[in-house]
Amino acid sequence: MFKNFDIAVDTTKGIRNQAISVNTNDLQTLQFSFIITQSGVPVNLTGATVRLAVKKPDKKTVFQDCTITDAVKGKCEIILDTQAYIVPGLHPVELMIYYAADKVSVTGRFSYTANKGILDDSSVVSTNEFQSINKAITDVESIVVDLRDNGTGIDAQARSELETVTTQLADTGKQVNGIVNIKQYNVVGNGVVGDSDSIQAMIDSLRQASISSNLSKQYTVKLPSGKYIIDKEIKMSPYVKIKPLGYVEFCITHNGTGFWITPSTGDLTYNNSSPDHLNKNSWNRGKYFDGSEGAIVFTSTLDNDDPLTKTIAIEIGSRNAGSLRETPISRYVMDNVNVYGLDTAIKFNCVNNYIGTLKHCHLELNNHALHFTSPNGTQINSGENMVFDNCIIAISKKEAVLIDVPGHDLTFHNSSFDFNASPVFKSLKSGTCIRLNNSYIEKIGDGVGAQLIYSSESTNTGETGGRNSFYIKNTPIFVERASKLFENLPNSGAGYINLHLDIDGLELRYAETKFSAPYSIGDRFIVDSPKVFLRSRKILNMSITKSVVSKELNLLRNGDLALSTPATDLTVASSDVYWEVTGFKTGVSNPTIVAEGVGGSNCIKYNVTNTTDNQVTFTHKLKYNVEAGENLLFSALVKTDKISSRNEFRYILECYDQNDVLMQTLTYYDYFGVPATVTTVDGTQFRMIRDVATFYIPPGVFKVKPIFKPVLMDGTFLCVDELHLSKSK
């Protein structure tokens, strides 16, 4: 028995590119048969030497001469020694032809890949063991046939026992012999025939072999490229792992789960008081699905827009809330799993399901990408330490991450959430902790409705007073417009879960360039729900026209002067720890703090007594740390009853070195212009300045002090609000 590959060679075109794959534990003779031509005409190999050069994965090159089988027709062949040539890995090959001292080298090359076969190294038997098994199978089969055909008087029971032995030996050969391909389990992978029963039989066989070895053997099924029709649920044992050799598509054609990974009756258990509790660690380890060297893609023929569609690509964990804790699903990994167009991409049944990691997964166009739930409404707290690394979760039609179970810790590293419905994350119970590190969120919702990153909702009175937390670190968020990003909702009894928000590096980017109420708290703030505890640092607003005038998401100081008290010298008293009115004050009088903004927002109001010459200088009491090369955005809101092109606004930055020595002063001039160029904010209450001052921080500057100076107002009064300084990358 041997394995032969026919290779066509043309010295003018090279060797036809072929994808050749062999198994290291096939234990077959590897043979290549060549037909060598030149421009389609056979090359006469009379007197020639044809040599094969094979570069092994260890970078060593092995040479072997071919046997010329028909010199006139350009035919030759070579049989490779399995010990020297079938080492796991890629083997580049070059065919060389020698005529006496002259060498002709074929321009093309080919290669073959040696694989470990269907099973791991721990399951591969030696040549002698394999030959012994085959001999035993052959001998017993011969005896059974002989007895049956010759009718030598063996009774039915003895014959049945011999047939059972034959079957068992054949099954053993399938399980431990790398020659046996998955096709021998009747797994087709042609995109037409249902493969569920065949894959189930294969998994059951390998699971039992693992249990029989007391977990000393772990099995990885290596599926060749193909489309595998999953026409019924497959119960997958954690003892068995799946890895593709190329592109593997699992197409779910029934309204249910594709692969359900869960313990089964008969699985080995552990006990904390006995040494074999380490089984808990061992048999769960490894990658349940590993598409790192190919592709694992789940699709479905069912429409997930149909409310009756309940397709799930992968379901993990027991469905029985009373299942033994001695058989957990834990310490597992899934790598490079892609799911498209299902109701739920991955469902986590949270019964003893914890310490799982998903890496490089792409979950798109599903209703829910991730769904955490407890069966039959039972509250099971076992979902700690679920980690998602470098994942893409996109275009989820409902909540991308739905957590309908208490006590879960989910961490997302370097992951991207693109074009998902609002909210992206939703938890319905207390005890959830979500961490978003160095990730990215783009366009939440349908462009019209809510744009929520996270919604915390108490769905029963038992959750009242609990706690959920959401951490964000170094994450840009691109949304259509300014809106609240978090909400906290009560149950029917008006009970809330306490929501703790911790933001350390949130970069907000907006698509819109206009906003009718840029400082309205109801529309602008991150969250306006009760029982929310917010700790924030480094919130960057990246849309200039409407964001830098927002007091709610200001980097530095709101500047609404709410704490201010006017002094008799027209300055702002020290009760405002941020701003003071200093310097040149002419043509104005009687400063008061009045509610001129939306909802009574406080501002400082001056009566203009001299329209020919008037100005006020607002100086910030503090200096702010900056870095050379940064852009600072400086703005204000003003109101006056008369606008003319004379109205002038000076934005000033005093720049200091690291020793607090004034280096230089930067000034940006802006004018109201004619009324047609003025943007109206909140009807006629306030008028926003046409421009925003932009400053580029020069080298050597470590701190800045902002100063705002309105000059030459032609109206009878001037109101100033929302002095705002922020950074832009």
Side-chain angles (χ1 to χ4, degrees), residues 17 99 140 155 216 218 233 237 239 277 296 298 395 414 430 441 452 481 511 590 624 644 653 693-694:
N17 185 26
Y99 289 95
V140 175
D155 58 44
S216 64
Q218 299 285 296
E233 178 179 284
S237 170
Y239 298 128
H277 75 275
I296 296 178
F298 285 86
I395 321 179
N414 308 309
S430 66
I441 298 177
L452 291 168
R481 64 199 178 283
N590 301 325
Y624 292 108
S644 74
L653 282 188
T694 303

Side-chain angles (χ1 to χ4, degrees), residues 124 305 403 482 499 555 563 598 643 652:
V124 178
D305 287 330
I403 309 164
L499 174 59
L555 266 184
L563 301 176
V598 172
I643 299 173
I652 301 168

